[in-house]
Amino acid sequence: MTRMSEGLSGGPADLADVPPETRSSTGPLHASVNDPALTSMTLLNEIAGRFPDAVSFAAGRPYEGFYDVADLGRYMSAFENHLTDELGLSPEATRRTFFQYGRTKGFIHHLIARHLRNDEGLDVEPESVVVTTGVQEATVLVLRALRTDTRDVVFAAYPSYVGFLGATRLVDMPVRAVREGPDGIDVADLEEKIRRARAEGLRPRAVYVVPDFANPSGASMPLADRRALLDLAAREDVLLLEDNPYSMFHSGGERLPTLKSLDAERRVVYFGSFAKTAFAGARVGYVVADQSVVGGSLFADELAKLKSMLTLNTSTVAQAVIGGYLLENGCSVERASAREAEVYRGNLRAVLTGLEEWFGAGGPMSGAGVSWNAPKGGMFAVVTLPFRADDAMLEYSASHFGVLWTPLHHFYAGNGGFRQIRLSYSVLTHRQIALGIERLAALIADRT
Amino acid sequence: MTRMSEGLSGGPADLADVPPETRSSTGPLHASVNDPALTSMTLLNEIAGRFPDAVSFAAGRPYEGFYDVADLGRYMSAFENHLTDELGLSPEATRRTFFQYGRTKGFIHHLIARHLRNDEGLDVEPESVVVTTGVQEATVLVLRALRTDTRDVVFAAYPSYVGFLGATRLVDMPVRAVREGPDGIDVADLEEKIRRARAEGLRPRAVYVVPDFANPSGASMPLADRRALLDLAAREDVLLLEDNPYSMFHSGGERLPTLKSLDAERRVVYFGSFAKTAFAGARVGYVVADQSVVGGSLFADELAKLKSMLTLNTSTVAQAVIGGYLLENGCSVERASAREAEVYRGNLRAVLTGLEEWFGAGGPMSGAGVSWNAPKGGMFAVVTLPFRADDAMLEYSASHFGVLWTPLHHFYAGNGGFRQIRLSYSVLTHRQIALGIERLAALIADRT
């Protein structure tokens, strides 16, 4: 539900008023429309919709307190000036950039490369960047490219981001689940799973990881694990798909390098998002794909071919807005999103403090058997409960105690996480967080 | 080449400076990256790029003389006012509409429904509209939904729009070619092809058609053929995929009804575009999918599920701009694009007049064996030459005579059209058109 169902209302149409005999049937549809991840998201949204007054730890959307519609026009003007003044485009070429079909790989690739140098210490060739309609499109492009026949398979730590799982469904790419520990993906388990897949005649292609502040777990990989993962990828000749939407929301202390910046062999395909930093509605993300392809071309150029059959190019106005956002902030997203990062840091502290006060040593419910992790950043934390926390329990929690959260089993494709819940704190006030944890404590007291 | 390679420059990166041993290979990629349609577009763009001073009948992009960057901010403001004043949204809800993840089916569906009523006499339920990242995404969504296993197959008249063919490649959907006559798809041939496919154990799902001013042929289907096509679709239980990007550029005389407005059984899935009317860079299109699905849901809602795994939602700023464009013009695209329509009408007259003057009865080359069609609107016409008009001939035409055009065989997946060329006249002046046809005549004189 992280990226779902905000904005204008509108559920399924009521078909009751249309005589069924005048409405043709489509016939059977691709299995992905019945994907369990989708069905569960619909269910969660439906429950959330029925309890609008509950404190919601379920809504994963970014903080919206600093949004101002007036920024959008200013960003576009900043980008227009950049085209004319910095790049020297003629008025005709500038107009064409805004209005016509554009370069398939996008036209803010050079600004994205500057941002990666400024904020991640990462040097990428602008030509290896493909600007996409959000990371979601980028994920579909990469998976579409890698799924050549029934032998291809990818790996992901479970619990896993539902958007990634959805993308695999669209291209019929099987996902092999890898264990996740408190420090992210279990590299030894990954190695075993890759070998097992090979023994079955499958062709392991890639491993999906969110090394910093994963969704849903909030886990971050230690440096040694990052290096071990890169070594394993080299030994097994698989790509690493590094998704990095949350790194700007770090603790403020020392940061770990991205996999991509440790990637001497260019084995990492890097996904970057502006959804949580600039704004989600723009639908602007990107992928850095600097691998070579048999025949000598650049992976980014092959992905662009697929994009030319999928969306042609990322919306020019959306790119211009994000381009202006980058330019206004010296191509530092860290600078641009400093206020949001401060909100998330404060909210994370409030969540951890609240949990400690209720369930920690000396707290009123210290013996209840509740534990939780302590993410170093991001937008999510995970709480382990002493009872089954499934959709029925969520419904009970909402109706009897006025608090919403996300059952973790939805991120396991139904195969785990039945006693865990995700707490998302991005859009809450400290007061709402305290109230929500108090209500959670009441639920737990009721069930134990 | 219709929707390609405008805007900022940037070819494939030069890999020569990166030691090959430090750049991992991706391994094999999905066959669609080697699709002949893509390869041919790359080739055509490359030829066009080498002859910038040639008169180009190859560029299929919309006329750009009326574009003004200042319009974009005004459109956004108009849409913002619509949200607050007409729909009564709070300032918070308005901001959220612009900035957050949005409704998967989009938020300008009601304005699109008004446009369809105003300009096409078409009544659609707003809930059956899915706003997409251009028609290209809509096509992929529909084909993805319909491709359930290896038996599913679709039909299209050849020559066919390369964007449609590209979308079929992405989802591994086979396309059966149907004959096209001067009046568009040959319904009798379609019937035979459908029956033959069924006899082979395949499952015919849908037929792709552009009834008005098709790309590349410019052909329009007569009313009787439209009715016959609907009857056939009902008998054979297949969907009709009606793509309608050009209907606003009609002759100014009587217009024919869309398939969708004749569609009593809701057998037509209707694709609408703003690329040629508002502007292409926005990447805003839509699909009207009012069929029912087994289980009783609406096809549009099933497509939205797939979209939630592909792009989540269409860019909010792009939707807001197109929403404002519609609002400023009373939700009449015909009114909004009247100036462009006049340009295209005038250019089409100039093309047909030029061809007649050179190759018609009494013209200097009346005996050269050149013929052409007379489209009633749109952006394209087709000329039949007395010799092979392939890529080598295009190269020769560009280098020796300074005129570019598109070999029609690219729209036949290489199986036809070798003596035909597409003339696109959307971005030319009357003077350029006259000069281009003079140069074409010189080429023809040289080769005959």
Side-chain angles (χ1 to χ4, degrees):
Chain A
M1 54 267 84
T2 297
R3 298 177 172 175
M4 294 273 157
S5 82
E6 295 301 317
L8 296 178
S9 67
D14 182 5
L15 299 186
D17 58 331
V18 180
E21 67 276 14
T22 65
R23 197 185 278 274
S24 301
S25 166
T26 57
L29 300 184
H30 186 249
S32 55
V33 301
N34 296 314
D35 186 58
L38 269 179
T39 314
S40 63
M41 268 190 278
T42 307
L43 175 75
L44 294 175
N45 283 328
E46 185 273 321
I47 295 176
R50 279 192 287 120
F51 301 99
D53 298 329
V55 173
S56 178
F57 288 114
R61 65 183 190 273
Y63 182 76
E64 55 199 35
F66 304 123
Y67 293 149
D68 184 348
V69 179
D71 289 346
L72 300 174
R74 206 182 62 247
Y75 291 151
M76 280 209 284
S77 296
F79 186 71
E80 188 184 1
N81 293 338
H82 169 70
L83 291 181
T84 53
D85 302 348
E86 199 171 342
L87 300 187
L89 264 62
S90 67
E92 293 71 27
T94 298
R95 271 207 304 277
R96 199 173 291 136
T97 304
F98 274 85
F99 285 97
Q100 283 285 14
Y101 295 114
R103 180 173 176 273
T104 309
K105 291 198 289 182
F107 55 63
I108 59 170
H109 51 309
H110 58 301
L111 303 178
I112 288 169
R114 289 186 207 170
H115 143 58
L116 289 174
R117 188 169 310 123
N118 291 338
D119 295 325
E120 303 285 358
L122 194 52
D123 274 308
V124 306
E125 304 146 301
E127 284 299 334
S128 69
V129 175
V130 184
V131 185
T132 55
T133 309
V135 169
Q136 193 65 29
E137 185 194 25
T139 311
V140 171
L141 292 174
V142 169
L143 292 172
R144 169 69 296 176
L146 297 179
R147 175 71 172 173
T148 64
D149 64 37
T150 53
R151 287 170 297 172
D152 297 302
V153 60
V154 296
F155 299 80
Y158 274 36
S160 200
Y161 171 52
V162 291
F164 175 75
L165 299 179
T168 65
R169 306 288 194 261
L170 273 190
V171 302
D172 295 317
M173 173 74 95
V175 185
R176 292 289 172 107
V178 179
R179 217 174 16 238
E180 181 173 288
D183 291 334
I185 194 165
D186 178 332
V187 180
D189 188 53
L190 171 62
E191 180 157 20
E192 193 193 316
K193 296 284 166 61
I194 289 175
R195 290 184 177 173
R196 196 183 301 170
R198 256 193 241 289
E200 292 173 32
L202 298 174
R203 188 162 47 203
R205 299 301 301 270
V207 182
Y208 175 77
V209 276
V210 185
D212 290 283
F213 325 127
N215 177 10
S217 71
S220 294
M221 291 178 70
L223 183 57
D225 282 10
R226 295 177 194 229
R227 294 196 192 280
L229 183 59
L230 282 158
D231 289 346
L232 175 61
R235 278 199 311 279
E236 295 289 342
D237 193 22
V238 297
L239 296 172
L240 298 177
L241 311 183
E242 178 176 35
D243 190 5
N244 189 20
Y246 306 113
S247 71
M248 294 294 99
F249 310 133
H250 54 76
S251 67
E254 201 184 353
R255 292 176 58 195
L256 290 173
T258 60
L259 291 175
K260 188 66 191 159
S261 53
L262 300 170
D263 178 32
E265 291 189 5
R266 307 202 178 204
R267 201 165 279 287
V268 177
V269 177
Y270 179 92
F271 297 89
S273 171
F274 294 102
K276 304 298 190 291
T277 51
F279 64 107
R283 310 310 309 126
V284 177
Y286 59 93
V287 55
V288 180
D290 54 6
Q291 289 70 37
S292 68
V293 174
V294 177
S297 68
L298 186 67
F299 192 26
D301 289 316
E302 301 300 306
L303 295 175
K305 290 184 190 173
L306 298 177
K307 183 171 167 65
S308 76
M309 300 186 253
L310 186 54
T311 60
L312 304 180
N313 47 252
T314 300
S315 177
T316 53
V317 285
Q319 286 191 76
V321 164
I322 297 298
Y325 166 89
L326 288 168
L327 288 160
E328 271 203 4
N329 293 283
C331 290
S332 169
V333 174
E334 179 150 34
R335 188 207 291 179
S337 59
R339 293 180 304 180
E340 284 84 355
E342 193 50 45
V343 168
Y344 297 150
R345 274 194 284 269
N347 285 3
L348 174 56
R349 277 194 301 270
V351 166
L352 297 178
T353 303
L355 291 169
E356 184 65 32
E357 283 173 2
W358 279 95
F359 306 109
M365 294 184 63
S366 62
V370 174
S371 60
W372 58 94
N373 67 351
K376 296 188 179 65
M379 295 167 55
F380 310 104
V382 168
V383 178
T384 303
L385 300 178
F387 52 84
R388 189 175 172 96
D390 55 11
D391 298 334
M393 185 58 67
L394 171 61
E395 168 94 33
Y396 184 76
S397 175
S399 61
H400 287 68
F401 297 93
V403 60
L404 292 162
W405 33 266
T406 308
L408 217 67
H409 72 81
H410 291 292
F411 302 93
Y412 280 92
N415 298 314
F418 287 107
R419 294 187 158 218
Q420 293 192 301
I421 65 176
R422 186 188 76 173
L423 300 188
S424 171
Y425 47 78
S426 47
V427 292
L428 300 177
T429 62
H430 288 202
R431 192 191 160 97
Q432 286 170 317
I433 289 169
L435 181 63
I437 291 177
E438 184 183 328
R439 290 176 177 187
L440 191 61
L443 167 72
I444 293 166
D446 177 81
R447 302 314 297 168
T448 50
Chain B
M1 54 270 82
T2 297
R3 296 178 173 175
M4 293 275 156
S5 82
E6 295 301 316
L8 295 179
S9 66
D14 182 5
L15 299 186
D17 59 330
V18 180
E21 68 276 13
T22 66
R23 197 184 278 275
S24 300
S25 166
T26 57
L29 300 185
H30 185 251
S32 54
V33 300
N34 296 315
D35 186 58
L38 269 179
T39 314
S40 63
M41 268 189 279
T42 307
L43 176 74
L44 294 176
N45 284 328
E46 186 271 322
I47 295 177
R50 278 191 289 119
F51 301 99
D53 297 329
V55 173
S56 177
F57 288 113
R61 64 183 192 274
Y63 182 75
E64 54 199 35
F66 304 122
Y67 293 148
D68 183 348
V69 178
D71 290 345
L72 301 173
R74 206 182 61 248
Y75 291 150
M76 281 210 283
S77 296
F79 186 72
E80 187 182 3
N81 292 339
H82 169 72
L83 291 180
T84 53
D85 302 348
E86 198 170 344
L87 300 186
L89 264 62
S90 68
E92 293 71 28
T94 297
R95 273 208 303 276
R96 200 174 289 135
T97 303
F98 273 85
F99 286 97
Q100 284 285 14
Y101 296 112
R103 181 173 175 274
T104 308
K105 291 198 288 183
F107 54 63
I108 59 170
H109 50 312
H110 58 301
L111 302 178
I112 288 169
R114 289 186 207 170
H115 144 57
L116 289 174
R117 187 169 310 121
N118 291 338
D119 294 324
E120 304 286 356
L122 193 53
D123 274 308
V124 306
E125 305 146 300
E127 284 299 334
S128 69
V129 175
V130 184
V131 185
T132 55
T133 309
V135 169
Q136 193 66 29
E137 185 194 25
T139 310
V140 171
L141 293 173
V142 169
L143 292 172
R144 171 68 295 175
L146 297 179
R147 175 70 172 173
T148 64
D149 63 37
T150 54
R151 287 170 297 172
D152 297 302
V153 61
V154 296
F155 298 80
Y158 274 35
S160 200
Y161 171 53
V162 291
F164 176 75
L165 298 179
T168 65
R169 306 287 194 263
L170 273 190
V171 302
D172 295 315
M173 173 75 93
V175 185
R176 291 288 172 110
V178 179
R179 216 174 18 236
E180 182 173 286
D183 291 335
I185 193 165
D186 179 332
V187 179
D189 188 54
L190 172 62
E191 181 157 21
E192 193 194 315
K193 296 284 168 60
I194 289 175
R195 289 184 179 173
R196 196 182 301 171
R198 255 193 243 288
E200 292 173 32
L202 298 174
R203 188 162 48 203
R205 300 302 302 271
V207 182
Y208 175 77
V209 275
V210 185
D212 290 283
F213 325 127
N215 178 8
S217 71
S220 294
M221 292 177 69
L223 184 57
D225 282 10
R226 295 177 194 230
R227 294 197 192 280
L229 182 60
L230 283 159
D231 288 346
L232 174 62
R235 279 200 310 279
E236 294 290 342
D237 193 22
V238 296
L239 296 172
L240 297 177
L241 311 183
E242 178 177 34
D243 190 4
N244 188 20
Y246 305 113
S247 70
M248 294 295 98
F249 309 134
H250 55 75
S251 67
E254 201 184 353
R255 291 177 57 195
L256 290 173
T258 60
L259 291 175
K260 188 66 191 160
S261 54
L262 300 170
D263 177 33
E265 290 190 5
R266 305 199 178 207
R267 200 165 280 287
V268 177
V269 177
Y270 179 92
F271 296 90
S273 172
F274 294 102
K276 303 298 190 291
T277 50
F279 64 106
R283 311 309 310 126
V284 177
Y286 59 92
V287 55
V288 180
D290 55 5
Q291 289 69 37
S292 69
V293 174
V294 177
S297 68
L298 185 66
F299 192 26
D301 289 316
E302 301 300 307
L303 295 176
K305 289 183 190 174
L306 297 178
K307 183 171 168 65
S308 76
M309 299 186 255
L310 185 55
T311 59
L312 303 179
N313 48 251
T314 300
S315 177
T316 53
V317 285
Q319 286 191 78
V321 164
I322 297 299
Y325 165 89
L326 288 168
L327 289 160
E328 273 204 3
N329 293 283
C331 290
S332 169
V333 174
E334 179 149 33
R335 188 207 292 180
S337 59
R339 293 180 303 178
E340 285 85 355
E342 193 50 45
V343 168
Y344 297 150
R345 274 195 285 269
N347 285 2
L348 175 55
R349 276 194 302 270
V351 166
L352 297 178
T353 303
L355 290 170
E356 184 64 31
E357 284 173 1
W358 279 95
F359 307 108
M365 294 183 63
S366 62
V370 174
S371 61
W372 59 93
N373 67 350
K376 296 188 179 64
M379 295 167 55
F380 310 104
V382 169
V383 177
T384 303
L385 300 179
F387 51 85
R388 190 175 172 96
D390 55 12
D391 298 336
M393 185 59 66
L394 171 61
E395 167 94 33
Y396 184 74
S397 173
S399 59
H400 287 67
F401 297 94
V403 59
L404 293 163
W405 34 266
T406 308
L408 217 66
H409 72 81
H410 290 292
F411 302 94
Y412 279 93
N415 298 314
F418 286 108
R419 293 187 158 218
Q420 294 192 300
I421 65 175
R422 186 189 77 173
L423 300 189
S424 170
Y425 47 77
S426 48
V427 292
L428 300 177
T429 63
H430 288 203
R431 193 191 161 95
Q432 288 171 316
I433 289 170
L435 180 62
I437 291 177
E438 184 184 329
R439 292 178 176 186
L440 191 61
L443 168 73
I444 292 166
D446 177 79
R447 304 312 297 166
T448 51

